[in-house]
Amino acid sequence: MDDVVKTSTEAQRQEFYGRLATQNLAPLWEVLRGLLPSEPRSKAVPHRWVYDDLRPLLLESGSLLTAQEAERRVLVLENPALKGMSRATATMYAGIQLIMPGETAPAHRHSPSALRFMLEGEGAITVVGGERTTMRRGDFVITPSWAWHDHGNEGTQPCAWLDGLDLPLVQFLEASFNEHYNDDRQSLTRPEGDSLARFGSGMLPLNTTSRYGLTTPIFNYPFARTRAALVAAAAGEALDPHEAVTLRYANPIDGGWTMPTIAAWMMFVPAGFETRPMRSTDGQVMALAEGALTAHVGDKRYDLAESDVAVAPGWTWRSYRAEKDSFLFCFSDRVAHEKLGLYREQRGA
Amino acid sequence: MDDVVKTSTEAQRQEFYGRLATQNLAPLWEVLRGLLPSEPRSKAVPHRWVYDDLRPLLLESGSLLTAQEAERRVLVLENPALKGMSRATATMYAGIQLIMPGETAPAHRHSPSALRFMLEGEGAITVVGGERTTMRRGDFVITPSWAWHDHGNEGTQPCAWLDGLDLPLVQFLEASFNEHYNDDRQSLTRPEGDSLARFGSGMLPLNTTSRYGLTTPIFNYPFARTRAALVAAAAGEALDPHEAVTLRYANPIDGGWTMPTIAAWMMFVPAGFETRPMRSTDGQVMALAEGALTAHVGDKRYDLAESDVAVAPGWTWRSYRAEKDSFLFCFSDRVAHEKLGLYREQRGA
Amino acid sequence: MDDVVKTSTEAQRQEFYGRLATQNLAPLWEVLRGLLPSEPRSKAVPHRWVYDDLRPLLLESGSLLTAQEAERRVLVLENPALKGMSRATATMYAGIQLIMPGETAPAHRHSPSALRFMLEGEGAITVVGGERTTMRRGDFVITPSWAWHDHGNEGTQPCAWLDGLDLPLVQFLEASFNEHYNDDRQSLTRPEGDSLARFGSGMLPLNTTSRYGLTTPIFNYPFARTRAALVAAAAGEALDPHEAVTLRYANPIDGGWTMPTIAAWMMFVPAGFETRPMRSTDGQVMALAEGALTAHVGDKRYDLAESDVAVAPGWTWRSYRAEKDSFLFCFSDRVAHEKLGLYREQRGA
Amino acid sequence: MDDVVKTSTEAQRQEFYGRLATQNLAPLWEVLRGLLPSEPRSKAVPHRWVYDDLRPLLLESGSLLTAQEAERRVLVLENPALKGMSRATATMYAGIQLIMPGETAPAHRHSPSALRFMLEGEGAITVVGGERTTMRRGDFVITPSWAWHDHGNEGTQPCAWLDGLDLPLVQFLEASFNEHYNDDRQSLTRPEGDSLARFGSGMLPLNTTSRYGLTTPIFNYPFARTRAALVAAAAGEALDPHEAVTLRYANPIDGGWTMPTIAAWMMFVPAGFETRPMRSTDGQVMALAEGALTAHVGDKRYDLAESDVAVAPGWTWRSYRAEKDSFLFCFSDRVAHEKLGLYREQRGA
């Protein structure tokens, strides 16, 4: 085909495309390749937040406005490649929440699910469905989709935790509902520890229905128990080359993940162990609960200290090496990938 | 608080936010309200494509390039509010595909799931996993996630169908994989009708595992059978005020939806019947298979003729009135909403 | 140990056992071996009933008493090793039911589940849950646990079918409830064919709950459709050496067996094909729907003609050779074995 | 009908029945009423074994033969109405097993499932799948279907526990397999506590598959934890009028019962509380772990002391009154009734 003809054809096509556009039609063949890449390329990039660097800013926000004013006083962890979008990964929101002694983060509920991973301070409490729980360092706390929840600080120190929410996913699905409670704090209708006793002791009520739809009825998985389980599990079997010892937080009612949209787990990497690289389609947020760990994510290397937070975007190679016995908390959209038939992983040599 | 102080505070905040930004941090309290609306407001708008209007453009595209050149010769149905994004609703892609006599749309596979709803012509075939099926008007055909598929036209007329894919959802989840087959057409390894016989006759193989992961092993649900079922069902029970008679395409292996990401169903509205308004969180694409039907979507009214396509965005009121006995094919992201615990519906008076 | 001591010990033991017995205690070690055999030995034996031999007796019963008098006019097929126990296998009841023109087998319901496999005559009907179905030769009809059901003969010939019930199993579990309807016949509340249309066309209602608990909502699986599926399936894949082509009747709501206690399936053995021996823990009842088939069961050989019935006890080798294209209907307690984690099978060379 | 005719008819029938019998046929109408009672009447009767009465006999058996000789040294608890059948209820076996210091009950495996509820002594151990567990009073220990298991006593006192097995059920289903290990004791391949840590801490391995088919991977549910859960649960909600506070032992992998054939749970009845009568189709065996409890079963009254065992046959009214805070361990065939669609319960006023 000579150049003149080509140009003419191209002009014809553009004219045709213009007529299509007036009818809200578009030519697939011009965009197909972009719509169907041979494999995923995440819009997010690897990143790490050093807790000691962000902590002064967090405390400064504490003097800037009250928790009440803010509704939630949180510094959003924004992925450098997704500025202004309130996203840590392509689908997940993360932030660091601060609550000062005596403050209350007022009660509300929303269809997005939220998790809290406790980083600092004594005396923080969360109330879910009329039951309060005291949040200790390393505890994994859930505020289920559409469950009333509020937070408080009954101690004498600032308290801070990592927030994880499925906000970008729920917004994308256009299914975000939100409601404010008629008071700052819920009244307590059950004693502290009721959920953990009733659902987290290897027993279940006779007629089991979850209090929170597809979400686990346990809303605080204490670090003390999780840590002990990981250490015991490490003694019982050889370490997995890619995952060292990983246990996922589980819903006792069906053995699935704890939330329908957010998967959460903890990895124990014993001092000196180094995992081989692997990658998976889910985008992960991780926080070091204890120890000292070097994470390789894509071509980045992060030496993580306790409470540091990092992001491994989807389909990006990651591996870990522990300097001390290390406990790494992680969450991602893996459960959504699995339920929708889209989860894949690849294990490197 | 007087104005000077306010200004000062505001200035302080902006200065603080600037420092936050350098650390890839952002103040949640400035965006929280936008992130948590009290109820969904879809980015998509209601729209309708008149088949008789787009058909000439479709045929024109047939002379512009071959199916082979295009890989898939499709006019994308773009939601007017989502120009350039290849989306009919917030999460779903829709298009009208044309295949001319003797043409082949070459074999490939991808992690996004696809459906075809046959609109026009005789002689179109689709091959999935080595089995071919002949597509007749009103048939609902599935090309499952990661299954090899190609299309052909063995007849003498142009053939056209509605394509539905979960492309925007899979892209958002960053889980899109794609692969080309080493030939234009798959070789056939099973006789036509095998899947329907083996899985669609009320029977199942002794050791049931789906050929296609979470997707139904049946890949053509013939209109003749669906239509007869709807007419019989209408005789057996009073019409539902909101859904007239609606049956969903089902996966015989677990009774669930046919695909893990796309829900599909057909509604039969007898002549003269009018449904009451309802809305749900999923965004819907509909095509009239047979009859004449007026659809009210939000504040729009669409008089649908056969093969017309319309969109009802999520959480938008919709109702229908049939001028003739009408069979309306619909698909949406409802299955994803359900699996992720996000589906809601509301039924009006 | 010399004989005197042995005797003395034996006497001591017997005296001890006597004292135990007064306390309703017994020594396990005396019976353990019998309680825990190394593999199952069925109490049932292989057997075959020749339809042409029992038919005259069946018709004779028709003149002896009415269906109304009998409630159900059935000749029970008693396993020769289980006389007087109304059992064909260790856990399953089977019988041949006769209903004469104009007769009614009055409405009742019971917790045991029942199946009917139509053998002879035109005009028999069964009513389940207010819907009637016409029973044709080879049709597989279900009267679910605790569903009202009655039978009639609206034709001009005697009609006969094979009954299969889980009676021995339900009696053993002491869970047998029974109730009589306040009239001979139920009133009809749904048109004939409603269940098959609504649940058996590849579609399902939007909000699926079975009408009958754990039992399929389809209550007639027509032979015409089953036969066609088997023939098509035989063309699509190589014959299985042990099972030729076997499809099981399935519950569309969950893809499981049709009843919670009775598994049912049909095997198609093409003329000339011979299966290799296999055995499984379930005890099977089989009836030849069409063809001519030689069954080897244990050390017995049965040349089955149409409507002949045979029994293969649990863990007994069985194999088949077809003289003509043969369709063999089977039912067993396999579903109970599977659900209780007890099913095993072994495939011979 | 006059008497002569009646006699004649009766004679005719008997003659006919005789001819039927030669063909292994029987008239259903003569036995139908017996086969289909209006509601269950258990063959078992209520009964109670006083632990202090059977204990001397148990210890006497300890001097009569070794655990090795006996394979399992157990006094079978025989229901008074089912003498010689090794059954406590219609479907369940129960016994009291004794193991003396230094003894071993040699390793074997069988398809029947077994539970152990620890009654007396320190130092008993059970090994399952290469992992040992120390059995303390009130612990609920499982030896899953087809898992290798052996028992030992490493302490200085006699140890005794309640055995519960599904033997009658598995025998009835003719699915009983048994195999001896090639040594008395299994070698240990995992540290003690591995299962409980890995599966019983609210966490699960990433890729969950049970080590034991349909049975829970946890094989010791410690009383300390169960008791604490019950006490906490009692504080959190009003007592149920019929069930006080009842928690069932659960399989963390699916939230179901711990075994596919035997349901087990513990009821906490606080001092002074009296439950209202209820009945259910399952036949129950109960043992008092702690406290003092009066059980009414049918028309019997049993004042239970610690370690006493009682039986409540299926569909028999039962109610409880606690003299002291009481913890009642129970097991039954409820899980089989539920899976087979046969479970029913009735709650009295």
Side-chain angles (χ1 to χ4, degrees), chain C residues 9 12-13 15-17 19-29 31-44 47 49-50 53-54 56-58 60-61 64-65 69-81 83 85-87 90-91 93 96 108 110-112 145-146 163 165-180 214 260-261 281-282 313-315 333 335-344, chain D residues 9 12-13 15-17 19-29 31-44 47 49-50 53-54 56-58 60-61 64-65 69-81 83 85-87 90-91 93 96 108 110-112 145-146 163 165-180 214 260-261 281-282 313-315 333 335-344:
Chain C
T9 303
Q12 276 177 332
R13 289 193 178 184
E15 183 273 340
F16 179 59
Y17 297 168
R19 280 184 289 131
L20 288 182
T22 64
Q23 303 278 331
N24 293 297
L25 300 168
L28 176 64
W29 53 89
V31 295
L32 182 59
R33 205 159 302 266
L35 291 176
L36 284 176
S38 61
E39 65 174 27
R41 282 183 297 274
S42 182
K43 288 175 180 154
H47 193 69
W49 290 265
V50 174
D53 291 347
L54 68 78
L57 293 163
L58 189 66
E60 188 175 343
S61 78
L64 200 68
L65 78 179
E69 277 180 282
E71 186 161 349
R72 294 294 184 267
R73 191 202 289 108
V74 182
L75 298 188
V76 181
L77 303 178
E78 286 208 315
N79 193 285
K83 283 284 193 184
M85 298 181 74
S86 303
R87 302 187 192 181
T91 69
Y93 161 102
I96 308 288
H108 65 181
H110 38 67
S111 52
S145 175
W146 211 240
D163 275 327
L165 284 93
D166 55 10
L167 271 173
L169 175 57
V170 179
Q171 285 165 346
F172 176 78
L173 290 170
E174 303 193 328
S176 190
F177 293 83
N178 182 44
E179 197 174 350
H180 287 84
L214 301 180
T261 47
T281 49
D282 56 323
W315 211 235
D333 53 357
V335 55
H337 284 236
E338 288 181 355
K339 287 186 176 190
L340 303 180
L342 297 165
Y343 181 73
R344 279 204 207 182
Chain D
T9 302
Q12 276 178 331
R13 290 193 177 184
E15 183 273 341
F16 179 59
Y17 297 169
R19 279 185 288 131
L20 288 182
T22 65
Q23 304 277 331
N24 294 297
L25 299 169
L28 176 63
W29 53 91
V31 295
L32 182 59
R33 204 159 304 266
L35 292 176
L36 284 175
S38 63
E39 65 173 28
R41 281 181 300 272
S42 181
K43 287 175 182 157
H47 192 67
W49 290 265
V50 174
D53 291 348
L54 69 78
L57 293 164
L58 188 67
E60 189 175 342
S61 77
L64 199 69
L65 79 179
E69 278 180 280
E71 185 160 349
R72 295 295 184 265
R73 190 201 290 111
V74 181
L75 298 188
V76 182
L77 303 177
E78 287 209 316
N79 193 286
K83 284 283 195 184
M85 300 180 73
S86 303
R87 301 187 192 183
T91 69
Y93 160 102
I96 309 287
H108 64 183
H110 39 67
S111 53
S145 176
W146 210 240
D163 275 329
L165 283 94
D166 55 11
L167 272 173
L169 175 58
V170 178
Q171 286 165 345
F172 176 77
L173 291 170
E174 302 192 329
S176 190
F177 293 84
N178 183 44
E179 197 175 349
H180 286 85
L214 300 180
T261 47
T281 49
D282 56 324
W315 212 236
D333 53 358
V335 55
H337 284 237
E338 287 180 356
K339 287 185 176 189
L340 304 181
L342 296 166
Y343 181 73
R344 279 203 208 184

Side-chain angles (χ1 to χ4, degrees), chain C residues 36-195:
Chain C
L36 284 176
S38 61
E39 65 174 27
R41 282 183 297 274
S42 182
K43 288 175 180 154
V45 293
H47 193 69
R48 179 257 324 256
W49 290 265
V50 174
Y51 189 68
D52 280 350
D53 291 347
L54 68 78
R55 191 174 182 278
L57 293 163
L58 189 66
L59 292 176
E60 188 175 343
S61 78
S63 60
L64 200 68
L65 78 179
T66 66
Q68 192 92 28
E69 277 180 282
E71 186 161 349
R72 294 294 184 267
R73 191 202 289 108
V74 182
L75 298 188
V76 181
L77 303 178
E78 286 208 315
N79 193 285
L82 301 167
K83 283 284 193 184
M85 298 181 74
S86 303
R87 302 187 192 181
T89 70
T91 69
M92 291 288 133
Y93 161 102
I96 308 288
Q97 184 159 171
L98 173 70
I99 187 158
M100 302 297 287
E103 283 191 341
T104 291
H108 65 181
R109 64 176 179 177
H110 38 67
S111 52
S113 296
L115 67 85
R116 329 289 171 181
F117 187 74
M118 196 63 189
L119 297 177
E120 176 179 346
E122 300 273 334
I125 61 146
T126 285
V127 183
V128 171
E131 179 183 341
R132 57 171 269 170
T133 191
T134 303
M135 301 160 83
R136 297 193 172 79
R137 194 179 149 68
D139 287 358
F140 168 59
V141 173
I142 292 166
T143 56
S145 175
W146 211 240
W148 295 113
H149 58 280
D150 51 79
H151 310 287
N153 183 341
E154 304 185 347
T156 58
Q157 313 159 316
C159 289
W161 61 75
L162 172 67
D163 275 327
L165 284 93
D166 55 10
L167 271 173
L169 175 57
V170 179
Q171 285 165 346
F172 176 78
L173 290 170
E174 303 193 328
S176 190
F177 293 83
N178 182 44
E179 197 174 350
H180 287 84
Y181 197 65
N182 57 12
D183 203 348
D184 278 357
R185 299 287 285 265
Q186 297 171 70
S187 44
L188 300 179
T189 57
R190 276 194 280 254
E192 179 155 6
D194 179 75
S195 299

Side-chain angles (χ1 to χ4, degrees), chain A residues 50-230:
Chain A
V50 175
Y51 190 68
D52 281 351
D53 291 348
L54 69 78
R55 192 174 182 277
L57 294 163
L58 189 67
L59 292 176
E60 189 175 342
S61 78
S63 58
L64 200 69
L65 79 179
T66 65
Q68 193 91 29
E69 277 180 281
E71 185 160 350
R72 295 295 183 268
R73 191 203 289 110
V74 182
L75 299 188
V76 181
L77 303 177
E78 286 208 316
N79 194 284
L82 301 166
K83 284 283 194 185
M85 300 182 72
S86 303
R87 302 188 191 181
T89 69
T91 70
M92 291 287 133
Y93 161 102
I96 309 288
Q97 183 159 173
L98 172 72
I99 188 160
M100 301 298 286
E103 283 191 342
T104 290
H108 65 183
R109 63 178 179 177
H110 38 68
S111 53
S113 296
L115 66 86
R116 327 291 171 181
F117 186 73
M118 196 63 189
L119 297 177
E120 174 179 347
E122 300 273 333
I125 62 147
T126 286
V127 184
V128 172
E131 180 183 340
R132 56 171 271 169
T133 192
T134 303
M135 300 160 83
R136 297 192 173 78
R137 196 180 146 68
D139 288 359
F140 168 59
V141 172
I142 292 166
T143 57
S145 176
W146 210 239
W148 295 113
H149 57 280
D150 51 78
H151 310 289
N153 182 341
E154 304 184 346
T156 58
Q157 314 159 316
C159 289
W161 62 75
L162 172 67
D163 275 328
L165 282 94
D166 55 10
L167 271 173
L169 175 58
V170 180
Q171 285 164 346
F172 175 77
L173 291 170
E174 304 194 327
S176 190
F177 293 83
N178 182 45
E179 197 174 349
H180 287 83
Y181 198 65
N182 57 12
D183 202 348
D184 279 357
R185 299 285 286 264
Q186 297 172 68
S187 42
L188 300 179
T189 57
R190 277 194 279 255
E192 180 157 4
D194 180 74
S195 298
L196 190 59
R198 200 180 294 273
F199 297 96
S201 304
M203 316 292 288
L204 286 175
L206 270 179
N207 296 304
T208 312
T209 44
S210 177
R211 288 166 169 169
Y212 307 114
L214 300 180
T215 303
T216 172
I218 303 173
F219 67 97
N220 188 346
Y221 291 75
F223 184 48
R225 196 162 84 158
T226 301
R227 192 189 186 288
L230 284 161

